[in-house]
Amino acid sequence: MIVIVCAITGIVAGILFPYNIPSAYSSYVAIVILALLDSLFGAASAATKKSFDMYTFISGFICNGLLAALITFIGKKLDVDLYLVALIVFGTRLFSNFSTMRRHYLTLIVTKFKKKFCN
């Protein structure tokens, strides 16, 4: 529940206090946002499996963001698009976690539907 409250607070703060990010930092911000979304979706997926742990979530949230920024920084220094690696990994994990949640809730809905209408 606290994760949802914090996410909503962040979104509202972003809307109320707009800030333009310089184009030099846009790739950093984009990849860090993707890493943080991966952590949020991972937490939601773990919650559906009843295996959510706040310490794991917080450490993953911080470490994923820092690792994504570091990979992007190293890539910029080497003039190699390393951020694409993080983009692919985090994007794949996002879709994987989303599909886990979708299957879980679809199973719940189908089970309730069958109990209600097929008995």
Side-chain angles (χ1 to χ4, degrees):
M1 183 64 176
I2 190 142
V3 173
I4 295 171
V5 170
C6 290
I8 291 172
T9 303
I11 291 169
V12 169
I15 292 170
L16 293 178
F17 307 108
Y19 178 75
N20 292 327
I21 300 187
S23 61
Y25 300 119
S26 63
S27 60
Y28 292 102
V29 172
I31 202 68
V32 168
I33 288 172
L34 188 62
L36 299 179
L37 281 173
D38 170 56
S39 293
L40 288 173
F41 272 75
S45 178
T48 62
K49 297 176 189 174
K50 308 257 191 270
S51 64
F52 176 76
D53 178 48
M54 184 60 84
Y55 297 113
T56 303
F57 168 70
I58 291 171
S59 67
F61 192 81
I62 293 168
C63 291
N64 280 353
L66 290 174
L67 181 63
L70 180 66
I71 288 172
T72 304
F73 175 76
I74 291 171
K76 289 231 182 219
K77 291 296 179 188
L78 295 173
D79 200 27
V80 177
D81 292 335
L82 285 181
Y83 73 92
L84 293 174
V85 173
L87 179 75
I88 291 168
V89 170
F90 290 130
T92 302
R93 287 177 38 165
L94 258 168
F95 282 107
S96 176
N97 286 329
F98 182 75
S99 110
T100 299
M101 291 184 302
R102 178 186 46 84
R103 282 191 300 271
H104 172 77
Y105 290 115
L106 184 62
T107 302
L108 286 177
I109 290 169
V110 168
T111 303
K112 286 183 181 182
F113 180 80
K114 284 182 180 178
K115 281 183 182 179
K116 188 172 185 175
F117 294 110
C118 296
N119 284 335

